[in-house]
Structures are given as C-alpha cells and as structure tokens.
Amino acid sequence: MSDAIAVHLAPPSPSVPVVTERRWVRRLTIAVALAFLFLFVILPLAVVFVEAFRRGWGGYLAALQEADAQAAIRLTLTVAAISVPANVIFGLAASWAIAKFEFKGKSLLITLIDLPFSVSPVVSGLIYLLLFGAQGLWGSWLMAHGVKVAFALPGIVLATIFVTFPFVARQLIPLMQEQGTAEEEAALTLGASGWRTFLTVTLPNIRWGLLYGVLLCNARAMGEFGAVSVVSGHIRGLTNTIPLHVEILYNEYNFVAAFAVASLLACLALLTLALKSVLEWRHGADLAGGAHR
Amino acid sequence: MGIRVAGVTKAFAGAAALHDIDLAVRPGELLALLGPSGSGKTTLLRIIAGLVEADRGQVFFGGLDATTLPVQKRQVGFVFQHYALFKHMSVADNIAYGLRVRTRASRPSRAEIRRRTSELLDLVQLSGYESRFPSQLSGGQRQRVALARALAVEPRVLLLDEPFGALDAKVRKDLRAWLRDIHERTGKTTVFVTHDQDEALELADRVAVLNQGRLEQVGSPDDVQDHPATPFVMTFLGQAARFPADIRDGRVLVRGKPVPVAASRSQGSPFQLYCRPWHLKPTAPGQGHQTGTISGVRRLGSMRRIEVLRADGAKLEVEVPLATSLRQGEEIGLEIVDGVLFPES
Amino acid sequence: MPGFGITLGYTLLYLGLLVLLPLGALIAKASGIGLSGIIAVAVEPRVAAALWTSFSISLVAAAVASLFGLLVAWALTRYDFPGRRIVDAIVDLPFALPTAVAGIALAALYAPNGWVGSFLEPLGLKVAYTPLGIFVALVFIGLPFAVRTVQPLIADIERELEEASALLGASRWRTVWSILLPPLLPGVLTGFALAFARAVGEYGSVIFIAGNLPYVSEIAPLLIVIKLSEYDYTGATVIATIMLAISFTALLVINLLQAWSRKRFGYV
C-alpha cells in the first residue's frame, strides 16, 4: 500500500509545509537531539580515549602489557570462545525447531528464551551462586569432589552464557519463520539429507542474520560485568575478565590504566556497531523479521 | 461554488507533470478527471487541494483566487484512495475532527458538533457506528466515514482521489450509486479522479480526459463518447478499430469505397477512421470495406460480439444482434456504417 | 522435515539446564524463606532504601529517556541532516558499550573536575556520587530502548494522515499533537517499560558514578553484591526476588499494552 501512495505523491513543496514542520522547528529538534546524544553518548565515548592516552602511547601500552591485563584479556577471549559458540548452536537448534515445526507451547518457549534479558545481571550471577556456591545447593558436593565452578572459569562461562542466551536465537527465529519451509522441502524432495539441506539451503539464507546475532552476542559476552562480577570472586590474574580488571584498576585510582584497558572494550563496541550498521545497510532485507534486539 | 484552473503547469522529476491546464468546473457539478496512470490527474487534484504547489498558473474557487491559500485555509473536502482515517480515533471523533480543530471563535459548541456528526453519519448510512474504530470497519464503510469527515467542515468543494480504487468490484458498484445520491443531496461541486472509464461515464456530469499532462477533452459522457476530440479519447474510452482513409470530392473513402461519415473538408490524406464495434456491419463475403473469417462469437449482454480475423492477421470486433446466424469459421464481409475521422498524426 | 526431535530436545535441555534450573534455584530459595521472611528483609531500612532508590530513579530516568528518545527518533526518521546515518548508528552505543566502561566514563565526565562536572559544579549541581549520577547513568542505558521502539512507528506514519489533517484545517502543531503523536504512544510506553526494566537491574554503569552511600545512593543490585560478599544469601535472594517480580510485571504490562493496541487500533 505504501508503494501505491509513493507513486502518486508529489515531492513536498517548500512553501507549503503540509507534511513537515517549519524550518526553525526542524532545526531546533535536530539541535536538541544532537546535543542530547553528544552529552550522553559521544562525550562518554570520547572521555574513555582521552583518559586512556593521558600519559601518551607509552603509558597506554604499558597498561595493556601488564601481566594482570594480559591475563584478563586471555580469560575474556576464552570465555567468549566457549559461550558464543555454545549459544550459536543453541540458537540454530531452537530456531530450527521453532520456525520449521508447529507444536504446543511454542510461544511459551519463545518467552522463556527471552527470559534472561529481563533478569538483572547481578541476579544472573546470583542464581549460579545459589547452585554452585559454597552455601549453594550443590556447593558442598562439588567441594567434596574438588570441582570448582563458582569463583572459577566454569562459573564465569555459565553466567556469560546466561546473559547472552537469547541473542542468536532471537535474531534467527523471526528470520527463519519468515523464510518458511518451502526451500528446505524442495531440497529434501531432491534427495538431500537433512543435514546437507541445513548446510546448503538454510545456512546461506540466514548467514547475515546469524552474523548479526553473533556480533551482538560476542559484544555482550566480552563486556559483561555484573553477572561475571558476582560469580568470579575477583581473583586477580585468575578470574578477572577485562571489565573486572577495569573495575579493579579504577578502584585503585589507576585511572590511565583503567581507561586504557576500557578502551579495548570501547573499540570492540565501536567495531560491533560499525559491522552491525554495515549489515543493516547492505543486507537489511536479509535481517528482516529480526527485531532490533 | 465553481472551480477554475488557469494555465496550471507543474514539472517534477519522475512524477506526472502537467502542461498548461485550463479547466472550469461548474457550480454543483460532478466532474471526473479521467486518465491512465501517470497522466497527471492526481497531481491536478492535489494542486486544486493545495497539497502540491503549481509551478505556474492559478486556482480559483468561485471568485476567490486560492492559488496562494495554504491547505489549511482552502476549505476543501478531500477523500483519499486509502481513506486516511485516523486509526486512534473513533468514527465520531474522525468526523468531528475538522470542527474541533477550529479556533475557539469559529468552533461550534459541543452539542452542535455532536448534532452535525450524527447528521453526517445518517447521510452516509452509518448511524450507530459512532464509537467504532476504523480497524473495525469494512473498506466501503471506511470510505463512507472519510467522506463524512470531509463534508463535516462544510467544504467549498469536494475532491476525491480514486475514492473506490481500493475496494472490490461489488462494493465499488454500490458506492458509485450512493455517491451520486449524496452529490444530488448536498449539491457540492465535486471533482473525482479515476482511471476507470466506466466509473467516470456512469457517475459524472462531465468528464475531463487527461493524457501525459495535457487535457485532451472536457465534455459530457455522451460528448466524449460520441464526439471524441482526439484519437486518445476515442481509444481510451472503449474498443476502436482503425482504418486508413482519405477524402476525395468531399467523400470519405476506405480502400476506395465510400463510407457514410461526414468529411471535414473536401480533399486530403492521410486520415484514420476509428470505428467502434457497432460501427461495423456484417455483409456477404467480398462485399463491404473489409473481409475476414469469424474467429469467435460470444455474448455481451443483449448483443453478440463476433471477432473477425483479417487476412493480414488483425482482429476486428463487431457487434451484431443476438439472433444472428453467423458461425465461427465463416467468411464474411464488413461494411463500415459509422466512425470518427482523425487526421493521421 | 527432519530434525524436530533432536533440535527441540536440545533446545529444551539447554534452556532447562542453563536458564530454568538456576532461576528455579532462586525461586526454591525464596519460597524456603517464605513471604514473611521476604517482607522482614524488605522492610530493613537499608534494603527498603536501596529498593526505593532503584525504582524511583529508574522510573524518572526511563521517563526522561523516553521523552528524549522520542525526540531523537523523530529527528532521525523525519528529518534529513548531514551525518544522519552515523548518528543513527551511534544511538546503539549505550547498548554495545560494556557497562563497566560506560560507568567509569560517566563517572569521569561528571566528577567535579570532569568535562561536564566542572561546568555544573559552579552552579551548585553535583552529579557524580549523588543520586543524580544514578539518574544520568540510567538515562544513558535506557536511550537505545526508547529510540528503537518508536523509530519504526514514526517511519510507518502515513503521509496521507498528515495531509488529511491539514485539509481539515488543523495547524501543523495540532496535526503533530492530535494525529501523529497518539499512535506513537504504545511504542513510547513499550520503550519506557523496557528502559525501566533494564534500569532497575543495571549495575555496571551505575556503581562507579553513584557514590554508593547507604540510604542515599545505594542501588538494589549493589546491595545484592554486598549481601553476597557478607555470605548473606538469604538477603541477596530476597532483593533479587523482588527485583525479578518488578521486571516481570513491567514485561507483562508491555505485552498487555501491545495486545490492547493491536486489538483496538490494528497496529502495535
């Protein structure tokens, strides 16, 4: 219907402001919007880099090369390397089951998948402590058998998986639902196996949406603070991820180092935004159906 | 109140342009702006409404020069193809909107607005639908609300842009008769845009035919059908076969044989003679102006249409009485008994 | 179509183990405490103060974020200006920037000697290390939610509606107010609820700028962390349960709102 309208609509004529505001109103609105974004978004971003380079390149690199920082970077990469693929596999399985089949309780399942989004990060950490912590449900059993989950890598990974749980699935479910099952059925009738159909038909169709979901999932996995903070125990050089290391440095009044390490995460965020925007501009249609988040 | 458009010209990239349009709509008249898509008919209507500004030319409502009057002050009633109802307002609120937005000084009282609203709902046969929302109405009902909303402000003129374009055939038919009825009751000068010649011819007092931004002809439905001013009008309004013709000694000849059509001058060529299906009459093979084989016979209301295939592959449609003995495969001659003559362009 | 059993089975298993089981542990723990136990903790002055701080500031911040979000979305969608696409991308920054980074950046900006703080200081306005700082951080966090929920609605406004309103004699201001803004309300409210739900649970971006003064600028999530560090799992669980209840209520309200809007007006 909007196409039909667009065809016979003339471009707006400047002296007859029927479908827009007066010029000064437009300019004022733009100015206020930009000022607001400048104050609340641009300045915080800028201050990260300015503070990080307060002592020049030398100070910046020194902060990043320090042993604890290196350990934090390694830990963050490890956590992301485990939790992102785990959520990708889950996202693919869930969206396949939800988009290609009809079953009872589907909308409940979708709601449950979204659940972690509405849980405070701190609570996300807490629930794992309730299971695995010293006072937790299985804490004493785990301790007796020498398995460390809380205040160790497994706990950090679990909490990260929890907070990034919906990203991939949420992106893929609407996309796969929109694409339907016709192409897969065609491939199957041509004799392709189910797995082959998935690899050669489904995956190419959803690749941009998948990439989009992975980007957001990864950004959050590497940047998660609250949940990880609760389960990690803040053991320097052992269970400190980059965001936790930032906190420690900041609380020690080592601002340059804190902002230097933080700038790594800020760069990750900028890279994520840039790739996300490129995906939206280039492949907007292939992402369609996907809610913004 | 009449509408006059004088020398209106509009050019824009990619959209239907208009070239020097002069058009007078008489007070109380129902005029159809008819043309194919891209002919500029909607642009002209939007210029009259003030939604689009013309590059040149003027628009008058009665004696008032409205050219520079902003939309808000033109007081025209406008009905969109897709209704453009305010979805978050009830039917009654939609209709009352134009009255409520007036300045305090000219705004009617609440009671008066309520009275007017229910009067209009009555007029468009939607009494009892006051508190419905647009999403709860059918397409035809929505368009009736849209018309009531346009009438509520007591507009100088009523402008309708493809008002039935989004509706299915049955509803469209009903609404035509109903619009005609409303027009007679309100007596508002009305211009409506359509690409459907049947709609224009059935509904309008006069029809203005537009093509590629130019006005081809303005006239009554009989006028434009019987005396089309241009070959475009002739072919746009219905089926027409075309024959090369010339004039000799004041007589019109097709293939050297005279045709009973009045010649506009005594000598000349080349001309084109345009014939409607009822301008051709079957005769014995070899006689008349054309020869061919009947390739199809079908019924069309109270007449029969036969399709005649000429030796050169062209097909002609001919209207014959219902009780014809002509059969498919038969060879026949065709005599031209009438037609409209245009100089070859 | 193959693979139903295995994909659904895996989905349920993964969801059950990683999401439902831990959440179930919380609920189990909370029901072990019992309603009276929960109330007993909730009315402890420090807990009550932290909950009040979190909820009241989150409400105000979500409202402000919604208001400016609407303005930003309007400018981005309806007007053209140089750099519009980049600005559009930037709106998501609060969502993409790790909260700890946002937290220290905001604290540095609004500290009395910071870029913004040094301007506000002479005016007697202290932002960092006060409840106002919490407000600033929560507006930052809520902005993308507020913008992105109304943006598609603004893009979908039919031009003919504005024309119809103008033709009926309405001034531009009136058209914006009566015709264009009301259909955006469900979107604005949804954005508000999302921003609120996120703000209530927000931790990383707040704690650096808040000052964390008990009874004044201590937020509920921080109090959970403090309780945990004191091995008071019961206290932590109670606060977490109350917060969960509030966010789920917010989500329920969103869903009801959208269902109502779809039913009544035929759009979300």
Side-chain angles (χ1 to χ4, degrees):
Chain A
M1 190 171 108
S2 57
D3 282 354
I5 296 166
V7 169
H8 65 250
L9 278 193
S13 90
S15 62
V16 192
V18 178
V19 291
T20 189
E21 285 69 50
R22 283 171 203 284
R23 186 145 67 175
W24 71 265
V25 179
R26 291 205 301 268
R27 289 198 172 159
L28 185 71
T29 310
I30 293 171
V32 172
L34 290 183
F36 180 80
L37 288 175
F38 180 78
L39 196 65
F40 274 84
V41 182
I42 306 283
L43 275 185
L45 185 66
V47 85
V48 170
F49 290 98
V50 171
E51 293 291 331
F53 286 100
R54 183 140 289 200
R55 287 203 210 113
W57 267 101
Y60 182 75
L61 290 178
L64 298 186
Q65 278 158 356
E66 188 241 340
D68 286 346
Q70 289 287 316
I73 293 170
R74 269 197 304 279
L75 180 62
T76 290
L77 291 177
T78 310
V79 169
I82 302 172
S83 50
V84 174
N87 278 338
V88 167
I89 293 172
F90 162 73
L92 287 171
S95 53
W96 180 272
I98 288 171
K100 308 290 181 193
F101 302 96
E102 285 308 318
F103 54 91
K104 258 193 189 157
K106 197 194 242 185
S107 57
L108 177 67
L109 181 58
I110 296 176
T111 310
L112 289 179
I113 289 175
D114 269 350
L115 206 56
F117 270 162
S118 39
V119 175
S120 166
V122 170
V123 177
S124 311
L126 167 69
I127 57 179
Y128 284 98
L129 279 192
L130 290 178
L131 283 180
F132 303 113
Q135 296 183 29
L137 220 47
W138 303 328
S140 46
W141 186 89
L142 287 170
M143 207 154 0
H145 290 77
V147 184
K148 282 209 73 154
V149 177
F151 311 130
L153 180 68
I156 299 176
V157 169
L158 285 173
T160 304
I161 288 180
F162 183 91
V163 293
T164 57
F165 191 84
F167 280 101
V168 179
R170 235 194 161 182
Q171 195 60 39
L172 291 185
I173 291 169
L175 190 58
M176 278 212 207
Q177 275 177 331
E178 196 172 291
Q179 285 170 350
T181 55
E183 286 184 47
E184 281 81 3
E185 277 162 358
L188 289 168
T189 57
L190 292 171
S193 69
W195 181 240
R196 195 184 161 85
T197 302
F198 172 74
L199 285 182
T200 55
V201 177
T202 312
L203 209 52
N205 274 340
I206 59 168
R207 59 176 179 228
W208 298 121
L210 181 61
L211 182 57
Y212 193 93
V214 167
L215 270 176
L216 297 181
C217 183
N218 179 64
R220 181 74 191 266
M222 291 191 169
E224 178 51 33
F225 177 70
V228 172
S229 165
V230 170
V231 293
S232 81
H234 294 84
I235 308 168
R236 252 186 125 137
L238 269 183
T239 62
N240 257 346
T241 60
I242 302 178
L244 297 181
H245 192 57
V246 169
E247 185 197 18
I248 290 182
L249 293 170
Y250 188 85
N251 286 343
E252 289 170 350
Y253 301 101
N254 192 351
F255 292 138
V256 172
F259 280 102
V261 177
S263 75
L264 287 183
L265 293 172
C267 285
L268 173 73
L270 286 178
L271 185 71
T272 304
L273 279 192
L275 286 175
K276 179 173 162 292
S277 302
V278 169
L279 276 181
E280 279 166 3
W281 297 339
R282 290 262 178 87
H283 303 288
D286 298 333
L287 303 173
H292 200 82
R293 53 183 56 88
Chain B
M1 189 177 296
I3 306 170
R4 195 156 64 80
V5 171
V8 160
T9 297
K10 177 81 194 171
F12 27 51
L18 291 172
H19 308 283
D20 198 19
I21 302 285
D22 288 303
L23 175 68
V25 187
R26 296 167 192 154
E29 180 176 50
L30 181 54
L31 180 120
L33 278 178
L34 176 66
S37 63
S39 59
K41 55 192 190 301
T42 294
T43 305
L44 181 56
L45 194 76
R46 294 171 69 85
I47 286 175
I48 297 173
L51 292 173
V52 172
E53 202 185 17
D55 297 341
R56 266 203 314 280
Q58 289 162 290
V59 176
F60 297 92
F61 295 137
L64 173 74
D65 182 353
T67 313
T68 56
L69 215 56
V71 196
Q72 288 89 342
K73 303 220 164 104
R74 284 210 185 184
Q75 256 183 289
V76 297
F78 199 100
V79 173
F80 293 87
Q81 179 176 2
H82 297 285
Y83 332 121
L85 291 181
F86 307 135
K87 296 187 190 69
H88 61 287
M89 291 185 187
S90 68
V91 166
D93 289 340
N94 261 282
I95 295 174
Y97 181 77
L99 300 173
R100 293 204 178 121
V101 299
R102 288 188 185 170
T103 55
R104 189 157 306 187
S106 57
R107 192 190 310 151
S109 69
R110 278 167 170 236
E112 172 65 11
I113 291 178
R114 208 174 310 123
R115 194 188 59 75
R116 288 256 280 276
T117 305
S118 79
E119 218 175 74
L120 281 159
L121 275 168
D122 228 24
L123 181 75
V124 299
Q125 298 158 0
L126 281 175
S127 297
Y129 284 73
E130 288 85 347
S131 47
R132 298 269 188 110
F133 283 86
S135 62
Q136 300 166 317
L137 301 179
S138 71
Q141 289 170 333
R142 287 181 207 184
Q143 199 55 299
R144 274 149 48 189
V145 174
L147 184 68
R149 184 180 69 180
L151 286 170
V153 295
E154 293 178 340
R156 297 186 167 109
V157 297
L158 198 54
L159 308 174
L160 303 95
D161 184 8
E162 299 264 12
F164 311 132
L167 303 169
D168 56 45
K170 167 84 176 73
V171 181
R172 196 182 305 189
K173 203 102 187 138
D174 292 347
L175 278 192
R176 272 187 212 169
W178 168 83
L179 178 64
R180 181 81 235 177
D181 182 52
I182 295 248
H183 177 255
E184 261 149 36
R185 282 210 260 166
T186 60
K188 283 264 183 264
T189 309
T190 304
V191 179
F192 75 99
V193 158
T194 180
H195 64 269
D196 177 345
Q197 64 273 25
D198 290 339
E199 191 168 286
L201 297 173
E202 182 186 321
L203 209 50
D205 296 322
R206 285 195 309 151
V207 179
V209 185
L210 271 158
N211 182 37
Q212 297 186 341
R214 284 172 216 284
L215 208 48
E216 298 263 338
Q217 186 175 7
V218 185
S220 69
D222 281 348
D223 247 6
V224 291
Q225 286 183 97
D226 296 341
H227 307 291
T230 63
F232 174 82
V233 175
M234 180 79 193
T235 50
F236 189 71
L237 288 182
Q239 213 145 29
R242 204 168 55 166
F243 305 103
D246 39 17
I247 301 175
R248 245 171 265 146
D249 307 327
R251 288 200 304 171
V252 179
L253 305 175
V254 171
R255 290 200 171 165
K257 292 186 187 173
V259 179
V261 174
S264 47
R265 49 187 125 156
S266 63
Q267 298 288 337
S269 68
F271 284 87
Q272 296 278 348
L273 185 65
Y274 287 75
C275 297
R276 299 263 184 234
W278 51 90
H279 292 158
L280 301 173
K281 209 177 96 188
T283 63
Q287 299 207 329
H289 304 88
Q290 299 283 315
T291 312
T293 318
I294 297 177
S295 58
V297 182
R298 64 202 154 86
R299 179 167 177 161
L300 213 75
S302 62
M303 303 294 282
R304 230 177 255 291
R305 274 274 168 102
I306 59 170
E307 194 180 70
V308 178
L309 187 65
R310 262 184 353 200
D312 63 0
K315 278 183 178 169
L316 302 173
E317 297 236 331
V318 182
E319 214 160 84
V320 296
L322 209 49
T324 178
S325 59
L326 294 167
R327 293 270 174 276
Q328 193 166 341
E330 229 177 289
E331 198 175 317
I332 58 163
L334 288 176
E335 191 185 338
I336 297 173
V337 294
D338 202 353
V340 186
L341 196 66
F342 293 109
E344 190 153 0
S345 51
Chain C
M1 192 77 40
F4 178 61
I6 183 158
T7 53
L8 185 65
Y10 182 70
T11 301
L12 294 177
L13 183 73
Y14 192 85
L15 179 76
L17 284 181
L18 286 164
V19 176
L20 301 184
L21 183 71
L23 281 174
L26 180 76
I27 293 168
K29 176 92 184 168
S31 51
I33 298 164
L35 191 61
S36 55
I38 290 179
I39 293 172
V41 176
V43 296
E44 277 176 28
R46 188 167 171 191
V47 175
L51 287 169
W52 168 248
T53 303
S54 273
F55 291 130
S56 59
I57 300 181
S58 292
L59 271 178
V60 179
V64 170
S66 299
L67 197 70
F68 280 94
L70 177 62
L71 194 87
V72 169
W74 186 272
L76 283 175
T77 321
R78 306 269 316 187
Y79 305 146
D80 210 4
F81 52 90
R84 190 174 59 86
R85 276 181 141 189
I86 290 172
V87 174
D88 191 42
I90 286 267
V91 166
D92 277 330
L93 191 79
F95 187 68
L97 196 68
T99 53
V101 180
I104 62 168
L106 289 171
L109 266 186
Y110 288 89
N113 59 348
W115 292 353
V116 181
S118 58
F119 280 102
L120 299 178
E121 177 94 298
L123 304 173
L125 216 59
K126 278 178 91 101
V127 177
Y129 320 126
T130 70
L132 208 54
I134 305 178
F135 165 79
V136 167
L138 294 183
V139 170
F140 172 85
I141 284 299
L143 182 73
F145 296 91
V147 174
R148 297 305 186 206
T149 45
V150 283
Q151 213 174 2
L153 294 180
I154 295 176
D156 280 351
I157 291 174
E158 288 169 59
R159 184 171 164 164
E160 294 188 347
L161 293 181
E162 306 172 53
E163 292 179 340
S165 175
L167 284 159
L168 290 167
S171 65
R172 182 64 198 169
W173 180 239
R174 179 77 192 225
T175 300
V176 171
W177 188 247
S178 306
I179 303 303
L180 303 185
L181 289 183
L184 304 182
L185 194 62
V188 172
L189 289 177
T190 303
F192 170 81
L194 285 173
F196 172 73
R198 175 76 199 259
V200 166
E202 182 54 31
Y203 175 67
S205 57
V206 176
I207 54 165
F208 297 99
I209 197 176
N212 306 326
L213 213 61
Y215 303 102
V216 178
S217 59
E218 187 174 65
I219 54 167
L222 178 66
L223 198 53
I224 294 182
V225 174
I226 292 173
K227 296 259 178 204
L228 281 176
S229 68
E230 293 165 350
Y231 299 102
D232 178 6
Y233 280 28
T234 303
T237 303
V238 168
I239 304 172
T241 310
I242 294 171
M243 283 172 48
L244 269 189
I246 298 285
S247 356
F248 289 159
T249 310
L251 286 188
L252 187 70
V253 169
I254 296 174
N255 283 328
L256 291 177
L257 204 68
Q258 291 186 337
W260 173 77
S261 170
R262 199 175 301 132
K263 188 163 166 252
R264 181 135 191 204
F265 308 124
Y267 58 83
V268 184

PDB file of all heavy atoms in Angstrom, chain C residues 14-28:
ATOM      1  N   TYR C  14      18.987 -27.491  26.988  1.00  0.00           N
ATOM      2  CA  TYR C  14      19.887 -26.362  27.180  1.00  0.00           C
ATOM      3  C   TYR C  14      19.191 -25.260  27.978  1.00  0.00           C
ATOM      4  O   TYR C  14      19.727 -24.709  28.936  1.00  0.00           O
ATOM      5  CB  TYR C  14      20.297 -25.872  25.795  1.00  0.00           C
ATOM      6  CG  TYR C  14      21.436 -24.881  25.729  1.00  0.00           C
ATOM      7  CD1 TYR C  14      22.761 -25.304  25.715  1.00  0.00           C
ATOM      8  CD2 TYR C  14      21.183 -23.518  25.599  1.00  0.00           C
ATOM      9  CE1 TYR C  14      23.802 -24.399  25.598  1.00  0.00           C
ATOM     10  CE2 TYR C  14      22.218 -22.606  25.473  1.00  0.00           C
ATOM     11  CZ  TYR C  14      23.526 -23.051  25.482  1.00  0.00           C
ATOM     12  OH  TYR C  14      24.533 -22.151  25.364  1.00  0.00           O
ATOM     13  N   LEU C  15      17.961 -24.962  27.548  1.00  0.00           N
ATOM     14  CA  LEU C  15      17.171 -23.947  28.252  1.00  0.00           C
ATOM     15  C   LEU C  15      16.941 -24.372  29.702  1.00  0.00           C
ATOM     16  O   LEU C  15      17.087 -23.573  30.637  1.00  0.00           O
ATOM     17  CB  LEU C  15      15.828 -23.759  27.533  1.00  0.00           C
ATOM     18  CG  LEU C  15      14.847 -22.763  28.121  1.00  0.00           C
ATOM     19  CD1 LEU C  15      15.298 -21.348  27.806  1.00  0.00           C
ATOM     20  CD2 LEU C  15      13.451 -22.991  27.586  1.00  0.00           C
ATOM     21  N   GLY C  16      16.600 -25.632  29.880  1.00  0.00           N
ATOM     22  CA  GLY C  16      16.291 -26.126  31.218  1.00  0.00           C
ATOM     23  C   GLY C  16      17.495 -26.055  32.144  1.00  0.00           C
ATOM     24  O   GLY C  16      17.401 -25.548  33.264  1.00  0.00           O
ATOM     25  N   LEU C  17      18.648 -26.524  31.645  1.00  0.00           N
ATOM     26  CA  LEU C  17      19.828 -26.580  32.497  1.00  0.00           C
ATOM     27  C   LEU C  17      20.392 -25.195  32.786  1.00  0.00           C
ATOM     28  O   LEU C  17      20.804 -24.910  33.903  1.00  0.00           O
ATOM     29  CB  LEU C  17      20.904 -27.445  31.831  1.00  0.00           C
ATOM     30  CG  LEU C  17      20.686 -28.944  31.896  1.00  0.00           C
ATOM     31  CD1 LEU C  17      21.845 -29.686  31.227  1.00  0.00           C
ATOM     32  CD2 LEU C  17      20.546 -29.385  33.350  1.00  0.00           C
ATOM     33  N   LEU C  18      20.425 -24.342  31.763  1.00  0.00           N
ATOM     34  CA  LEU C  18      21.155 -23.093  31.918  1.00  0.00           C
ATOM     35  C   LEU C  18      20.292 -21.928  32.387  1.00  0.00           C
ATOM     36  O   LEU C  18      20.796 -20.970  32.941  1.00  0.00           O
ATOM     37  CB  LEU C  18      21.844 -22.731  30.602  1.00  0.00           C
ATOM     38  CG  LEU C  18      23.067 -23.614  30.342  1.00  0.00           C
ATOM     39  CD1 LEU C  18      23.502 -23.536  28.909  1.00  0.00           C
ATOM     40  CD2 LEU C  18      24.196 -23.224  31.281  1.00  0.00           C
ATOM     41  N   VAL C  19      19.007 -21.998  32.122  1.00  0.00           N
ATOM     42  CA  VAL C  19      18.156 -20.859  32.483  1.00  0.00           C
ATOM     43  C   VAL C  19      17.150 -21.248  33.566  1.00  0.00           C
ATOM     44  O   VAL C  19      17.078 -20.619  34.621  1.00  0.00           O
ATOM     45  CB  VAL C  19      17.421 -20.309  31.242  1.00  0.00           C
ATOM     46  CG1 VAL C  19      16.460 -19.199  31.643  1.00  0.00           C
ATOM     47  CG2 VAL C  19      18.430 -19.787  30.228  1.00  0.00           C
ATOM     48  N   LEU C  20      16.385 -22.299  33.282  1.00  0.00           N
ATOM     49  CA  LEU C  20      15.274 -22.604  34.176  1.00  0.00           C
ATOM     50  C   LEU C  20      15.751 -23.170  35.507  1.00  0.00           C
ATOM     51  O   LEU C  20      15.244 -22.803  36.564  1.00  0.00           O
ATOM     52  CB  LEU C  20      14.301 -23.569  33.487  1.00  0.00           C
ATOM     53  CG  LEU C  20      13.716 -23.020  32.187  1.00  0.00           C
ATOM     54  CD1 LEU C  20      12.694 -23.986  31.602  1.00  0.00           C
ATOM     55  CD2 LEU C  20      13.063 -21.659  32.437  1.00  0.00           C
ATOM     56  N   LEU C  21      16.756 -24.052  35.436  1.00  0.00           N
ATOM     57  CA  LEU C  21      17.248 -24.642  36.673  1.00  0.00           C
ATOM     58  C   LEU C  21      17.816 -23.573  37.618  1.00  0.00           C
ATOM     59  O   LEU C  21      17.417 -23.509  38.793  1.00  0.00           O
ATOM     60  CB  LEU C  21      18.298 -25.712  36.354  1.00  0.00           C
ATOM     61  CG  LEU C  21      18.849 -26.469  37.558  1.00  0.00           C
ATOM     62  CD1 LEU C  21      17.798 -27.408  38.133  1.00  0.00           C
ATOM     63  CD2 LEU C  21      20.100 -27.263  37.181  1.00  0.00           C
ATOM     64  N   PRO C  22      18.718 -22.703  37.170  1.00  0.00           N
ATOM     65  CA  PRO C  22      19.232 -21.661  38.077  1.00  0.00           C
ATOM     66  C   PRO C  22      18.128 -20.737  38.588  1.00  0.00           C
ATOM     67  O   PRO C  22      18.102 -20.388  39.774  1.00  0.00           O
ATOM     68  CB  PRO C  22      20.231 -20.890  37.220  1.00  0.00           C
ATOM     69  CG  PRO C  22      20.607 -21.828  36.126  1.00  0.00           C
ATOM     70  CD  PRO C  22      19.411 -22.665  35.870  1.00  0.00           C
ATOM     71  N   LEU C  23      17.207 -20.345  37.675  1.00  0.00           N
ATOM     72  CA  LEU C  23      16.110 -19.485  38.136  1.00  0.00           C
ATOM     73  C   LEU C  23      15.251 -20.237  39.143  1.00  0.00           C
ATOM     74  O   LEU C  23      14.759 -19.658  40.112  1.00  0.00           O
ATOM     75  CB  LEU C  23      15.265 -19.006  36.948  1.00  0.00           C
ATOM     76  CG  LEU C  23      15.853 -17.835  36.147  1.00  0.00           C
ATOM     77  CD1 LEU C  23      14.997 -17.557  34.920  1.00  0.00           C
ATOM     78  CD2 LEU C  23      15.951 -16.586  37.011  1.00  0.00           C
ATOM     79  N   GLY C  24      15.099 -21.543  38.879  1.00  0.00           N
ATOM     80  CA  GLY C  24      14.340 -22.370  39.812  1.00  0.00           C
ATOM     81  C   GLY C  24      15.004 -22.398  41.181  1.00  0.00           C
ATOM     82  O   GLY C  24      14.320 -22.365  42.216  1.00  0.00           O
ATOM     83  N   ALA C  25      16.348 -22.416  41.185  1.00  0.00           N
ATOM     84  CA  ALA C  25      17.071 -22.403  42.455  1.00  0.00           C
ATOM     85  C   ALA C  25      16.741 -21.150  43.244  1.00  0.00           C
ATOM     86  O   ALA C  25      16.575 -21.183  44.463  1.00  0.00           O
ATOM     87  CB  ALA C  25      18.573 -22.493  42.187  1.00  0.00           C
ATOM     88  N   LEU C  26      16.627 -20.031  42.510  1.00  0.00           N
ATOM     89  CA  LEU C  26      16.284 -18.772  43.172  1.00  0.00           C
ATOM     90  C   LEU C  26      14.890 -18.846  43.775  1.00  0.00           C
ATOM     91  O   LEU C  26      14.664 -18.462  44.932  1.00  0.00           O
ATOM     92  CB  LEU C  26      16.362 -17.614  42.172  1.00  0.00           C
ATOM     93  CG  LEU C  26      16.013 -16.245  42.744  1.00  0.00           C
ATOM     94  CD1 LEU C  26      17.158 -15.719  43.583  1.00  0.00           C
ATOM     95  CD2 LEU C  26      15.668 -15.258  41.646  1.00  0.00           C
ATOM     96  N   ILE C  27      13.968 -19.375  42.966  1.00  0.00           N
ATOM     97  CA  ILE C  27      12.587 -19.452  43.441  1.00  0.00           C
ATOM     98  C   ILE C  27      12.485 -20.415  44.628  1.00  0.00           C
ATOM     99  O   ILE C  27      11.807 -20.145  45.618  1.00  0.00           O
ATOM    100  CB  ILE C  27      11.651 -19.883  42.291  1.00  0.00           C
ATOM    101  CG1 ILE C  27      11.609 -18.757  41.246  1.00  0.00           C
ATOM    102  CG2 ILE C  27      10.248 -20.175  42.801  1.00  0.00           C
ATOM    103  CD1 ILE C  27      10.979 -19.126  39.944  1.00  0.00           C
ATOM    104  N   ALA C  28      13.227 -21.533  44.529  1.00  0.00           N
ATOM    105  CA  ALA C  28      13.220 -22.502  45.622  1.00  0.00           C
ATOM    106  C   ALA C  28      13.731 -21.858  46.903  1.00  0.00           C
ATOM    107  O   ALA C  28      13.134 -21.993  47.973  1.00  0.00           O
ATOM    108  CB  ALA C  28      14.084 -23.709  45.255  1.00  0.00           C
TER     109      ALA C  28
END
